[in-house]
Amino acid sequence: MKKEYLKISIIAGMVCMLSYSCKKGEEKVQEVANNKAESVLAYIKNMGFPASSIKDIGDEYIVEGDLSFPKNMSIPTPGDPKTEQYFTGYLVSPANRTNIRVYVDPSMTSMLNEVNSAVNQWNTVPNTNIHFNVVTSGPYDILVQDANLGVGYCGVARFPKDGVAGGLIRINKGYISGNSFDQRQRTIAHELGHAIGFRHTNWAGNGEPQNGTDDIGTPAGAIDVPGAGGTDPGSLMNGGQCGSGASFLSDKDKLATAVLYPVAAGNGSSGTLSTMAGIDIGLDDGVYFWGLSGKVTKGNSTLIYGPTSDYVLPAGKSYADVVDMGIANTGYSYVWYKDGTMSVGSANNLGNFIAPKPYVLPAGKTPADVVGIAIAKNTSWCYAWYTDGTASVGNSTDLGAYRGLYNYSLPPGKTYTDIADVGIAASSGWCYAWYKDGTMSVGTSDDLDYYIPLKPMD
């Protein structure tokens, strides 16, 4: 199988350049090199890779068709830290990410169209500020060049370092030349993804080490992208699929890019409590206020002011169609609509993960009866409050699945229809209630001012 391979090595050991001409000296150098290579081979096997997955290609071992272990690498000591997720932990800095200059070496000019197509894929991801520019001269950030990587291997890239994109992408041009145009540009787009910090989406399934470095020592962890983790068979960043994998960035690839490289939002306000489409509390306890204006502000429990940007709904939905929004412990944003459907996406694109599908309410309830929905981050349970003073607990498609209707109380002087929305904090599990007159209180799901009595917003 043709494969792009990701350089996962530990910092290469210092190679002593001996110039002895006598045969005995040459044999000594070769003996040291052989011992080093045998130690690396033993290390690979100790990591759990079967011998059948290890290929000797001269100066390095290729494992699982996608991992490179140089024979002169330093063996890591026991206890090296390990993680269990999807980008390296290092990104291109805000100062450098909007103009990543890509220079195409003369050895790759015959695939300039493929390079341009690959660059365009990343440049057109919505709600991101990552941008590549192909340059023909002058300084550059990434060099794309042809390299003979051997049979079965299609490309390799370096990772971001010190806030700058990985500086070198090598493409096995002769080997991929027989692939379709889409697959050739897929290889280049895949390597561009590594250059801005993405690991393979399927790294764990491929048996790849969780931590290591690229060929020049740049750290390569495997960190979960908040709100975009998990498997994705359609991901362009899946490894081991050169010539056969997805040709274009999947929705989850795009979501992950928007999370890691979000559009810088200017401070502002999405409206007042009486003009909100939905409110809920994020994983970091920041409060998201989605206004009927199509703007979303990340503020706090007493202030609708902070980074503000546009948000979009699935095709055919309008802001006035929204019943409420909630944020799950995955970081995904859930939306429930007045027509009895719901969708899932990011805070700025509320249908880019799950398209609208039906949900149900407890018997006798309609979407018009709902005054607030919030998601508990510790259980992912969805709490709903209604205009008649009852509440229920369920999941995103059945809001009464776990607990039927029960009563809740309000601060003195408030009525159920005064509620603008309710959110549940990630850190405490407390329920925050906001009212249309610009006040708020904090309590439990059945007593909305149990902890903090009614007080004005800032």
Side-chain angles (χ1 to χ4, degrees):
M1 179 185 294
K2 299 178 181 179
K3 301 182 179 183
E4 290 103 352
Y5 73 85
L6 169 64
K7 281 277 187 180
I8 301 294
S9 61
I10 309 301
I11 300 174
M14 186 175 295
V15 180
C16 183
M17 304 302 291
L18 300 178
S19 58
Y20 300 134
S21 60
C22 64
K23 184 176 181 181
K24 183 175 180 180
E26 292 169 353
E27 290 173 346
K28 182 66 174 177
V29 173
Q30 186 61 44
E31 179 182 349
V32 171
N34 286 342
N35 289 340
K36 184 70 171 178
E38 289 173 2
S39 297
V40 172
L41 181 61
Y43 166 67
I44 296 170
K45 290 179 178 178
N46 286 338
M47 292 177 70
F49 291 109
S52 60
S53 71
I54 305 170
K55 181 179 180 180
D56 186 338
I57 64 169
D59 293 333
E60 58 192 325
Y61 295 108
I62 300 297
V63 182
E64 296 286 348
D66 205 39
L67 311 175
S68 171
F69 293 83
K71 290 183 177 179
N72 64 350
M73 65 180 274
S74 296
I75 307 300
T77 58
D80 281 345
K82 294 186 177 181
T83 56
E84 298 182 351
Q85 294 103 353
Y86 304 94
F87 77 109
T88 66
Y90 296 87
L91 299 173
V92 183
S93 70
N96 296 322
R97 64 184 56 165
T98 59
N99 183 26
I100 302 173
R101 298 160 297 182
V102 179
Y103 178 72
V104 181
D105 185 79
S107 64
M108 281 293 294
T109 54
S110 64
M111 288 192 180
L112 182 58
N113 288 338
E114 287 88 336
V115 173
N116 286 329
S117 178
V119 163
N120 185 63
Q121 282 211 59
W122 290 103
N123 285 351
T124 55
V125 175
N127 303 310
T128 70
N129 64 356
I130 197 80
H131 192 86
F132 296 92
N133 283 310
V134 177
V135 298
T136 57
S137 62
Y140 57 82
D141 303 297
I142 300 174
L143 171 65
V144 181
Q145 67 178 198
D146 179 27
N148 183 0
L149 302 174
V151 175
Y153 309 106
C154 297
V156 62
R158 290 176 181 168
F159 292 117
K161 183 178 182 181
D162 299 327
V164 178
L168 179 63
I169 291 175
R170 291 181 288 161
I171 302 297
N172 198 350
K173 187 177 72 171
Y175 189 66
I176 70 170
S177 61
N179 292 347
S180 67
F181 177 89
D182 281 352
Q183 285 296 317
R184 294 195 300 272
Q185 66 85 37
R186 184 255 187 209
T187 292
I188 298 167
H190 180 98
E191 301 308 333
L192 287 171
H194 288 319
I196 60 174
F198 281 99
R199 281 287 303 268
H200 289 150
T201 304
N202 60 348
W203 70 269
N206 282 351
E208 297 175 13
Q210 294 170 345
N211 290 298
T213 71
D214 63 16
D215 64 317
I216 59 171
T218 308
I223 313 282
D224 182 39
V225 178
T231 58
D232 180 12
S235 174
L236 184 143
M237 291 310 300
N238 280 330
Q241 297 180 0
C242 175
S244 62
S247 299
F248 301 97
L249 294 165
S250 70
D251 286 343
K252 287 187 72 174
D253 290 332
K254 295 175 183 178
L255 175 60
T257 307
V259 170
L260 296 179
Y261 293 103
V263 174
N267 285 337
S269 176
S270 55
T272 65
L273 287 177
S274 62
T275 62
M276 289 297 122
I279 306 170
D280 202 7
I281 303 174
L283 303 184
D284 61 355
D285 283 343
V287 181
Y288 288 76
F289 297 91
W290 287 273
L292 292 170
S293 61
K295 301 285 186 180
V296 56
T297 294
K298 184 180 180 183
N300 59 51
S301 62
T302 62
L303 184 64
I304 311 175
Y305 185 82
T308 299
S309 55
D310 295 329
Y311 73 92
V312 296
L313 299 173
K317 302 295 186 186
S318 71
Y319 305 123
D321 294 331
V322 174
V323 172
D324 204 359
M325 281 96 153
I327 299 174
N329 58 10
T330 58
Y332 292 139
S333 297
Y334 287 64
V335 191
W336 293 266
Y337 304 98
K338 295 175 182 176
D339 65 357
T341 61
M342 56 80 63
S343 65
V344 185
S346 64
N348 294 99
N349 189 342
L350 291 151
N352 66 345
F353 183 51
I354 297 177
K357 64 179 183 177
Y359 71 93
V360 297
L361 295 162
K365 299 299 181 187
T366 70
D369 297 323
V370 177
V371 294
I373 302 174
I375 303 177
K377 310 305 184 283
N378 62 332
T379 62
S380 293
W381 288 4
C382 297
Y383 287 71
W385 292 264
Y386 306 98
T387 56
D388 64 353
T390 60
S392 65
V393 186
N395 55 50
S396 61
T397 57
D398 185 348
L399 291 170
Y402 305 137
R403 183 180 179 185
L405 296 172
Y406 61 95
N407 295 324
Y408 69 94
S409 62
L410 296 171
K414 292 299 179 187
T415 66
Y416 304 119
T417 56
D418 290 334
I419 296 174
D421 213 331
V422 184
I424 299 177
S427 59
S428 64
W430 291 2
C431 295
Y432 285 66
W434 295 274
Y435 305 94
K436 296 172 186 176
D437 65 354
T439 57
M440 56 87 63
S441 64
V442 184
T444 63
S445 70
D446 58 0
D447 185 349
L448 290 174
D449 67 341
Y450 182 83
Y451 296 118
I452 299 176
L454 197 68
K455 68 175 186 175
M457 294 278 285
D458 293 335

